[in-house]
């Protein structure tokens, strides 16, 4: 198991705080696991109120193409081009101003290997019991496959809506194993 540095583990008192609707259960799970995020599919990070990274998981390391020790203590401006850093920080600011969880979609390019993913990113400010801002928690969930499936469905919808599109779909289906197209107008069985 990869050991996290002491700098990446926020104070354990976070677990004892009461957040009511600002609570994001991932905070408890993340720090309960000693700063290790067991779901390697999601990007997980936390920044302090000044936007300095105080925790991250391995997927964030892959995103930035840097080790945890090269990310912790840095801001987005230290890690990415200014135009992207400005966008990230603006989303942080919006979540803080709203005082609650916000979600948005974004396309990310991973520095580790150059591949792209579409993420539904959730950001929420984390407050203490006196409503003092402790930082902002972010989780990015890969929705690339879902977005690709939605695009394929939209393409099929458009094809079916065009003159002769239905016949092309039936011809394609008839070429697939297990599909029988009846001659009585294209019923499938």
């Amino acid at each position: 198991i990869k050991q996290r540095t002491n700098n990446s583990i926020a104070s354990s008192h976070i677990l004892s705080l009461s957040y009511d609707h600002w609570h994001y259960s991932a905070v408890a799970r993340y720090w309960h696991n000693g700063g290790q995020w067991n779901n390697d599919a999601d990007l997980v990070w936390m920044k302090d109120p000044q936007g300095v990274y105080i925790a991250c998981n391995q997927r964030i390391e892959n995103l930035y193409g840097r080790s945890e020790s090269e990310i912790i203590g840095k801001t987005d401006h230290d890690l990415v081009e200014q135009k992207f850093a400005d966008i990230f920080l603006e989303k942080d600011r919006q979540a803080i101003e709203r005082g609650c969880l916000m979600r948005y979609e974004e396309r990310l390019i991973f520095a580790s290997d150059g591949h792209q993913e579409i993420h539904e990113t959730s950001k929420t400010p984390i407050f203490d019991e006196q409503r003092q801002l402790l930082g902002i928690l972010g989780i990015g969930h890969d929705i690339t496959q879902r977005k690709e499936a939605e695009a394929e469905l939209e393409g099929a919808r458009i094809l079916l809506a065009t003159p002769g599109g239905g016949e092309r779909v039936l011809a394609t289906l008839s070429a697939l194993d297990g599909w029988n197209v009846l001659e009585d107008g294209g019923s499938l069985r």
Side-chain angles (χ1 to χ4, degrees), residues 52-114:
V52 176
Y53 283 86
I54 59 174
C56 69
N57 71 345
Q58 187 169 1
R59 289 278 288 153
I60 291 291
E61 293 177 27
N62 295 338
L63 175 65
Y64 291 133
R66 298 174 187 224
S67 69
E68 176 194 25
S69 63
E70 294 173 303
I71 296 169
I72 302 303
K74 304 283 191 310
T75 67
D76 289 313
H77 282 104
D78 298 320
L79 300 169
V80 297
E81 294 177 36
Q82 181 172 343
K83 64 182 178 180
F84 298 118
D86 290 345
I87 292 169
F88 295 162
L89 292 172
E90 175 61 19
K91 297 294 186 182
D92 291 351
R93 185 191 61 73
Q94 289 173 8
I96 291 167
E97 283 182 3
R98 292 177 186 177
C100 61
L101 175 72
M102 68 174 276
R103 288 190 179 104
Y104 59 95
E105 291 180 8
E106 61 186 343
R107 181 176 297 273
L108 300 172
I109 302 170
F110 282 69
S112 61
D113 61 9

Side-chain angles (χ1 to χ4, degrees), residues 27 48 96 121 132 159 172:
V27 174
D48 72 12
I96 291 167
T121 299
Q132 295 298 309
L159 178 63
T172 301

Side-chain angles (χ1 to χ4, degrees), residues 29-44:
R29 287 188 301 181
Y30 183 78
W31 278 278
H32 175 73
N33 290 321
Q36 295 188 26
W37 187 258
N38 292 330
N39 180 357
D40 289 331
D42 291 336
L43 301 169
V44 182

